[in-house]
Amino acid sequence: MGIRGELYTTEVVLENRSYFFNVKENRNGDIFLQIVESKKGDGSDFDRHQISIFQEDMQKVLAGLDVALKYVDKEQKARKKARAEKKAVKAEKYGAKSEKRVYRKKGEEDKRLPDGIKRTGKVIHIKSKKETE
């Protein structure tokens, strides 16, 4: 048995917080999972929050987590579908942009139309036509 009853530890490091999954054994011989969230607080100190899940409850907790993850996936798909429908309605109402923009590659010649408008894609540059005397 390791320090403080630790049997196994793994760490997940993210940008602003870390998660530790520790499998531990207490003095009575009960095995439990300790989940610790550590995030940087003010200054150099860290905020730590932990949850302990005992061995007999792990399957129930994992089943609840699985249900929550399925809900998140279902909700994400529903939101994506709603966004696509909203975009289709907007395109139908205001007209879809069917033509694709073609951008000039570096080294290609500048293609100006006879009207004096230089089309670069996002911005239209208009040069005034000055009459030379």
Side-chain angles (χ1 to χ4, degrees):
M1 190 160 52
I3 300 172
R4 294 176 287 184
E6 290 182 0
L7 302 174
Y8 176 78
T9 299
T10 185
E11 178 182 11
V12 176
V13 179
L14 303 173
E15 288 181 22
N16 56 351
R17 55 187 83 208
S18 299
Y19 294 96
F20 301 91
F21 298 93
N22 306 319
V23 178
K24 292 186 172 187
E25 183 178 7
N26 64 10
R27 292 180 186 170
N28 298 333
D30 297 328
I31 295 177
F32 62 96
L33 173 67
Q34 182 184 53
I35 302 172
V36 179
E37 175 195 35
S38 178
K39 61 182 177 177
K40 192 161 184 149
D42 298 331
S44 62
D45 58 335
F46 288 87
D47 292 334
R48 285 178 46 110
H49 304 281
Q50 64 186 21
I51 299 172
S52 296
I53 305 168
F54 284 91
Q55 186 175 9
E56 58 269 8
D57 300 329
M58 284 185 195
Q59 292 302 322
K60 292 178 185 175
V61 170
L62 289 176
L65 180 62
D66 190 43
V67 170
L69 290 175
K70 285 179 183 177
Y71 173 79
V72 168
D73 287 341
K74 182 180 173 183
E75 185 68 21
Q76 185 178 17
K77 287 178 185 175
R79 287 181 184 213
K80 186 176 181 180
K81 184 179 177 183
R83 278 195 305 267
E85 289 173 355
K86 186 178 178 181
K87 188 176 180 181
V89 168
K90 187 176 180 182
E92 186 177 310
K93 184 176 180 181
Y94 297 109
K97 295 181 181 179
S98 60
E99 68 181 55
K100 291 185 178 180
R101 292 182 178 168
V102 179
Y103 296 96
R104 183 175 59 90
K105 293 181 181 177
K106 219 174 196 179
E108 283 185 6
E109 63 183 54
D110 188 49
K111 298 178 181 177
R112 292 183 191 266
L113 296 178
D115 58 1
I117 299 175
K118 177 182 177 184
R119 291 175 174 80
T120 60
K122 294 183 180 179
V123 181
I124 296 176
H125 303 279
I126 300 174
K127 282 193 169 183
S128 62
K129 296 181 180 179
K130 294 183 181 179
E131 295 182 25
T132 54
E133 292 182 30

